[in-house]
Amino acid sequence: MDTFSCINCKTKTIIEYKNYSFWESGGKHTISNLKFYVCPECGEEYIDSETSRIIDRELEKIQENE
Ligand SMILES: [Zn+2]
């Protein structure tokens, strides 16, 4: 899988799968094994369009359940 260079320091990012937590509608929600691109140099984290779609879908689900 191809990665890109960090915007801050131009280091090649690496792919890491981590849990992502956010607060929505007064509750904490966690999505597990979300794909992040992490810069090993400065620690900056990036998500791609696929990951942001997953987050958007989760947000929609939460809002529908209200
Ligand atoms: Zn960096």
Side-chain angles (χ1 to χ4, degrees):
M1 172 72 86
D2 226 20
T3 61
F4 52 89
S5 296
C6 176
I7 292 164
N8 293 330
C9 65
K10 310 280 186 273
T11 305
K12 192 107 168 135
T13 54
I14 52 169
I15 293 173
E16 266 185 35
Y17 289 86
K18 329 189 205 199
N19 296 344
Y20 173 75
S21 293
F22 59 95
W23 288 85
E24 178 66 34
S25 306
K28 192 183 187 188
H29 304 271
T30 302
I31 307 170
S32 50
N33 285 322
L34 215 52
K35 186 168 84 184
F36 284 87
Y37 296 86
V38 181
C39 173
E41 189 62 33
C42 71
E44 190 68 36
E45 293 177 343
Y46 305 89
I47 58 171
D48 60 12
S49 57
E50 181 195 336
T51 298
S52 77
R53 264 203 304 276
I54 294 169
I55 295 171
D56 283 348
R57 265 205 304 273
E58 282 299 313
L59 277 171
E60 278 168 25
K61 253 196 279 180
I62 292 160
Q63 283 154 3
E64 277 168 17
N65 288 337
E66 262 173 40

